[in-house]
Amino acid sequence: MNLTLKIWRQKNASAKGAFVTYSLDNVSPEMSFLEMLDALNKKLVEDDKDPVAFDHDCREGICGSCGMYINGHPHGPVPAITTCHLSMRYFNDGDTIWIEPWRAKPFPVIKDLIVDRSAFDKIQIAGGFISINTGAAPEANSIPVKRIKSDEAFDTAICIGCGACVAACKNASAMLFVSAKISQFALLPQGRAEARERVRSMVEKMDELGFGNCSNTGACEAECPKKIKLTSIARLYREYYKAY
Ligand code: SF4
Ligand code: FES
């Protein structure tokens, strides 16, 4: 495939960025999207040009670092996958692909497609943990947990902190992320002891860092690569009300 790439280039957070057009030939449909960017960067380095900075680590849909906007969608046009799982077979010969970083004030651009998502770490540090000495693994049935609850908790614990929900929201709301992190503990007996303090601290930190309120549009759920549900946000509200 021969492609035209319109990629956002920006030296740092304070520099003015712009789209730069690149042509890339001989892209195999077997390549992943990140491998396609690797091929572009190889060409740029060979031409003595600055390669495009983009974040990635696991390339297996686990770490959440590879987020970018592709043709107007966080992680690209295919639902429920991360950018690293996006295959070039979803594109056609002659396509023009627009590639941009997350656009949200609490996620300032570091360079090109890389944004600083440390705001999520700060929210986690504010309360996204259980402060007990876990000791040795307990007997499996010592704290009975209903299957439906453990499944629900697991469905929220799979949030990878990628930030697509923030990028998709017109209010740059982090509610889906925070609600996932609250839910994974709130649903289990082990998380109840610190539930009040946790939700108060995490919501306070989220507000302090400049994330907006839920817009109720559901864009976050639609674009989340792990399909975290809006019902998590409803649970976050309930937990918050109970905490006061
Ligand atoms: S809720 Fe979904 S979109 Fe938001 S950070 Fe977690 S995995 Fe990413
Ligand atoms: S590189 Fe880790 S989720 Fe994509």
Side-chain angles (χ1 to χ4, degrees):
M1 290 188 290
N2 298 335
L3 301 171
T4 301
L5 305 171
K6 305 264 186 188
I7 304 182
W8 185 262
R9 305 298 312 260
Q10 186 173 339
K11 277 195 165 37
N12 53 52
S14 51
K16 199 166 181 259
F19 283 103
V20 177
T21 304
Y22 301 96
S23 296
L24 189 63
D25 300 340
N26 300 320
V27 174
S28 162
E30 306 301 322
M31 282 178 168
S32 73
F33 196 84
L34 296 188
E35 284 168 344
M36 182 275 292
L37 289 180
D38 289 338
L40 172 70
N41 277 347
K42 185 169 179 286
K43 187 169 168 255
L44 290 174
V45 170
E46 283 166 0
D47 295 345
D48 214 15
K49 292 185 178 147
D50 189 25
V52 177
F54 63 95
D55 212 350
H56 59 100
D57 187 2
C58 68
R59 297 201 178 201
E60 290 182 350
I62 299 166
C63 73
S65 63
C66 60
M68 60 186 81
Y69 249 89
I70 302 162
N71 285 349
H73 290 278
H75 294 295
V78 182
I81 57 171
T82 51
T83 303
C84 56
H85 273 171
L86 180 63
S87 166
M88 292 311 296
R89 70 173 178 270
Y90 293 112
F91 297 89
N92 300 309
D93 184 34
D95 272 2
T96 297
I97 307 176
W98 293 80
I99 309 168
E100 309 167 63
W102 288 168
R103 302 209 187 264
K105 259 194 197 154
F107 291 161
V109 170
I110 295 173
K111 190 177 178 195
D112 298 337
L113 305 174
I114 301 179
V115 300
D116 180 357
R117 287 178 299 118
S118 60
F120 270 9
D121 299 333
K122 290 174 187 156
I123 294 173
Q124 276 290 85
I125 290 166
F129 51 83
I130 292 177
S131 48
I132 55 163
N133 182 354
T134 51
E139 198 278 321
N141 294 319
S142 60
I143 306 178
V145 179
K146 282 188 181 162
R147 175 66 193 267
I148 192 166
K149 289 286 175 199
S150 65
D151 283 355
E152 269 185 288
F154 188 76
D155 286 347
T156 57
I158 57 173
C159 164
I160 54 174
C162 64
C165 46
V166 173
C169 179
K170 61 183 180 179
N171 286 348
S173 171
M175 296 280 271
L176 197 65
F177 164 76
V178 175
S179 68
K181 299 302 172 192
I182 293 285
S183 293
Q184 73 185 70
F185 297 121
L187 286 159
L188 299 176
Q190 295 90 335
R192 292 310 314 169
E194 294 167 298
R196 289 180 174 205
E197 198 186 327
R198 178 180 304 114
V199 71
R200 281 200 295 246
S201 305
M202 291 181 80
V203 168
E204 196 178 298
K205 186 55 80 179
M206 173 181 79
D207 291 343
E208 179 194 314
L209 291 167
F211 293 100
N213 204 355
C214 178
S215 64
N216 289 314
T217 60
C220 55
E221 183 188 68
E223 301 288 6
C224 172
K226 297 297 170 184
K227 288 285 147 212
I228 305 291
K229 298 272 175 289
L230 284 177
T231 47
S232 293
I233 296 183
R235 187 179 300 107
L236 170 62
Y237 278 122
R238 287 198 298 276
E239 289 294 316
Y240 191 70
Y241 292 143
K242 274 194 273 181
Y244 283 92

